[in-house]
Amino acid sequence: MQIARVALDVPLATLFDYFLAENMTVVEGQRVLVPFGRKQVVGIVLALSDTTELAPERIKAVEQVLEDVPPLPAELLKLLKFCSDYYHHPVGMTVLSALPTRLRGCQPVSLKQVLSYHLSLNGQVLDLTSLPKRKAVQLRLLTALQNNVLSTAQVRAISPTAPAALKLLIEAGWVETTAEHAKQQKFSFNEAHQLTQEQQTAVDAVNQALGYQTFLLHGITGSGKTEVYVHLLHQVLQRGGQVLLLVPEINLTPQLEYYFRSRFPDTELVSLHSGLSEGERTQNWLLAQAGQARIILGTRLAVFTPLPELALIIVDEEHDASFKQQDGLRYSARDVAIFRANGRGVPIVLGSATPSLESYYNARSGRYTLLKLGQRASALAQLPSVRCINISNALLPEGISKELLTALGECLLRGEQSLVFINRRGYAPVLMCTACGWLSDCPHCAGKMVLHLNDRRLRCHHCGYQTRVPYGCPTCGNADLQPVGIGTQRIETVLQTHFPEARVLRVDRDSTRNKGTWNAMRQQIQDEAVDILVGTQMLAKGHDFHNLTLVCVLNPDNALYSADFRASEKLFAQLAQVAGRAGRGDKPGEVLVQTSFPDHPLFRALREHDYDSWAATLLTEREQAGFPPFVFQVLLRAEGKQEEEVYNFMQQARSHAADLAMQVEIYGVVPAAMPRRANHIRVHLLVQSDTRKNLQQFVRSWRPQLEALPARNIRWSLDIDPLEF
Ligand SMILES: [Zn+2]
Ligand SMILES: [Zn+2]
């Protein structure tokens, strides 16, 4: 009897055995439909065997072998098994989570035929001069179609709005589609830029890599990392390979997508991120699996895409914390990408202006190859000058110092754009009663509710609870409730009052909630229909606004003395990134930082654009304190409604850990940084070791003990290489 060992989406660290009927053939990696409890579910065959440990009468049969899509390749299965093992997550859940949702269901899916577009008879006789000039994209499409049949990729390379324009042309009866396989595959590349010497050196180094090698591309903001990527892509695409390019934010994908399409107009590019519809995501995944898509641009989940011709992986902004998934399979897409490159024997490039200390340390110690871009790519663009404004003795009820207002006023007069950066949305972080000291605590969390003045509500940013702003103090009835502290909405109001003639635009999660809003705003900024931008870290990343010359940073000080040992690393990365928005065109940029600690080494390094000395300082601190990258950590988190139950569970977990007497250091059971969220008490326990191997050995022994502990009302999880505490 042949047995299929199947991975199912259930929280058990095991595979499930099913027998195969005589007439059934199946291979590893194939999807099958099997009975589970009273349901039918889709699983993936991970192994085939002649034997099973179960009694024959207990084994059920595979009901159907799904053959709508090709099986997952062995390389990907190996990667997923590694992730299950390393991150201590059930194997079935790990494997199934890598599939687009549609492939986890039993409805058959198929790769849609590639369409190509040509002019209809009516379209061929159309007089283009008779069309209104404002329909520019339609005109460009029609002109391109006069000489050629276009593929979907070529249509998209014409303009981000070309697919919509094309739809109108089809409806008008001027363009027709053909379903026959567009076997165009001619390859073109818009050279556009001459590489600088530094860029060329970096491109050559990666191109010369034989097999697996990790490169850290450390390039200051504006040094043209993207151009290096483009040239690397060019080489790989010419050889017929596929490139996986990971980016931290969905927000960055549309502009990058359009940029790469315009540079490689005939190449099939797909994006993979959670902002796509299920249908789109499935099609893009299938295009990648079929080898048709050559450039795969995606957020962290794209690291698990099957790629038969994978020849290069690029992780852009590799330091970004969003590469780490914070629930379910708590993986770091950057680390998984490195493992994948190693397994496939292909080079991987980690790019950043402010590398994570882990990567930087690996580059310094020779495990990674360091490539440096120390100059801005455009000869005219200089690094901005950075200046601190000491506010230790200033009272700033509205959050902005006189010097900042003056600088903003001068920038306005010059007709240039400025950006005011504050990483806190809402109007004020807390509302206070001036009579009794009442504060707007969240009733369900240990945090405060944030005042949102636009719709007069108090909102908890941790659990989502919200309520109307009360007319009087809930405790003493006093009507004088005052906002304390500043958020983006308040700064927007203050600036509007100070500069009534200026066009102020606020960009944060609240103002960009609706789909498409952020794209429209970015266009507004490009078109210089905005004078002052107020925003959170959304504005810090990757954007290139040519008339932006002044960046003002408010309130960065909290992170300087935070309990989180990574806070200052993150702050430096964030400030370097936001500072890098200034002066990208041909005008010099200036960055002003309001702080009470202008002499702090972080600001000194920022002023001198000296990442290396800052990183050296941090590494020394980390080594002395025994923190990563010098040690390896696992965090056990638990939460529950009853404080006693949670602590009981954790104390037992801790004593089991201690009894194992292995080469690890076990810390105490302590409250999480947010000790209560949505009425759940949150506690954690940190264990660390000098080597990855010792830590993994320890977790392998510890985990079965944790699973055996009574934990009826408790949710717990293990986080390997945790970033948040
Ligand atoms: Zn009161
Ligand atoms: Zn809350």
Side-chain angles (χ1 to χ4, degrees), residues 550-564:
L550 175 66
V551 168
C552 303
V553 178
L554 311 180
N555 282 22
D557 291 350
N558 286 345
L560 290 178
Y561 300 99
S562 159
D564 173 5

Side-chain angles (χ1 to χ4, degrees), residues 433 436 473 476:
C433 168
C436 76
C473 169
C476 73

Side-chain angles (χ1 to χ4, degrees), residues 86-87 321 323-327 330-332 334-335 358 564-567 569-570 622 627-629 631-637 667 684-689 692 695-696 699 702 717-725:
Y86 183 78
Y87 292 109
F323 282 120
K324 170 94 177 168
Q325 171 132 321
Q326 297 296 352
D327 56 8
R330 292 174 157 79
Y331 67 102
S332 152
R334 177 197 63 206
D335 297 350
E358 279 84 356
D564 173 5
F565 69 86
R566 281 199 177 83
E569 178 189 349
K570 284 185 209 155
R622 296 268 184 99
F627 283 136
V631 298
F632 300 91
Q633 300 181 321
V634 56
L635 188 71
L636 172 65
R637 298 175 213 270
Y667 284 77
H684 60 222
L685 167 61
L686 182 70
V687 179
Q688 64 184 36
S689 174
R692 225 174 219 137
L695 187 73
Q696 284 290 337
V699 182
W702 193 34
S717 60
L718 288 168
D719 189 351
I720 308 286
D721 310 327
L723 288 185
E724 280 179 12
F725 290 86

Side-chain angles (χ1 to χ4, degrees), residues 432-439 472-481:
M432 188 183 80
C433 168
T434 51
C436 76
W438 169 86
L439 296 171
C473 169
T475 311
C476 73
N478 168 32
D480 185 23
L481 299 177

Side-chain angles (χ1 to χ4, degrees), residues 442 444-445 460 463:
C442 173
H444 309 293
C445 299
C460 173
C463 72

Side-chain angles (χ1 to χ4, degrees), residues 232-264:
L232 291 174
L233 257 65
H234 177 223
Q235 297 287 335
V236 171
L237 294 171
Q238 264 187 326
R239 299 197 305 263
Q242 286 177 299
V243 182
L244 175 64
L245 204 162
L246 298 175
V247 294
E249 286 258 359
I250 307 181
N251 281 325
L252 290 176
T253 55
Q255 64 188 119
L256 273 176
E257 193 177 326
Y258 177 65
Y259 184 71
F260 286 119
R261 281 189 200 289
S262 67
R263 299 298 295 276
F264 303 102

